[in-house]
Amino acid sequence: MIRITIIVSFVIVLGLVVSAIQVPTVDQAKVNEAIEQTISQINVTPEYRNTLEKAVFTTVKTLEKNQRKRLRFLVSAYLVIWLVFMLYLLRLGKQQQTLDQRISQLEEETPVESEESV
């Protein structure tokens, strides 16, 4: 039963890892639209417009890169926690098995009292 739990939880954690690795990216069309809306609201020279576009795209790339890094740390933490929890479950299972064997051994050693003593 414990092994099935470990396998199922591993599949779930693996699914989380795969989904977390796929960082959503900002749609370039939406960035361009936002830039156009901002530029339309203020008077901008062509040189300033190019500088503004470069700054926005550089900022978006930096934010996406940092998001990937944070997600890697998050996934790593989940994996470490999962590993520790599964090792704990395996240890509990082994202890349970040892206790069951000891109980069986004690039941065999202890004579069954008949109703004669009553």
Side-chain angles (χ1 to χ4, degrees):
M1 185 65 175
I2 291 177
R3 290 189 176 129
I4 293 172
T5 305
I6 291 172
I7 291 171
V8 168
S9 66
F10 178 74
V11 170
I12 291 170
V13 168
L14 191 62
L16 288 173
V17 168
V18 169
S19 67
I21 289 174
Q22 300 172 355
V23 178
T25 57
V26 177
D27 186 18
Q28 294 296 331
K30 288 184 180 181
V31 173
N32 287 332
E33 182 182 324
I35 291 172
E36 290 300 324
Q37 285 178 354
T38 304
I39 289 174
S40 69
Q41 293 175 359
I42 56 176
N43 292 331
V44 179
T45 62
E47 303 90 33
Y48 183 71
R49 179 188 175 112
N50 291 336
T51 305
L52 179 65
E53 287 177 353
K54 287 179 186 178
V56 169
F57 286 122
T58 303
T59 303
V60 168
K61 285 180 185 179
T62 303
L63 290 173
E64 288 176 349
K65 179 182 171 186
N66 290 338
Q67 183 68 15
R68 281 190 207 95
K69 188 186 297 185
R70 285 190 293 272
L71 284 175
R72 275 191 233 123
F73 286 129
L74 179 66
V75 168
S76 298
Y78 274 124
L79 288 175
V80 167
I81 290 169
W82 177 84
L83 181 63
V84 168
F85 184 66
M86 291 304 118
L87 290 174
Y88 176 69
L89 281 180
L90 287 173
R91 183 172 172 248
L92 283 179
K94 190 163 186 95
Q95 286 178 346
Q96 181 66 40
Q97 211 172 29
T98 304
L99 286 174
D100 289 343
Q101 289 173 352
R102 182 68 177 141
I103 289 172
S104 297
Q105 183 183 20
L106 287 173
E107 286 175 347
E108 290 173 4
E109 291 176 2
T110 305
V112 178
E113 293 185 19
S114 62
E115 291 188 22
E116 295 175 5
S117 61
V118 177

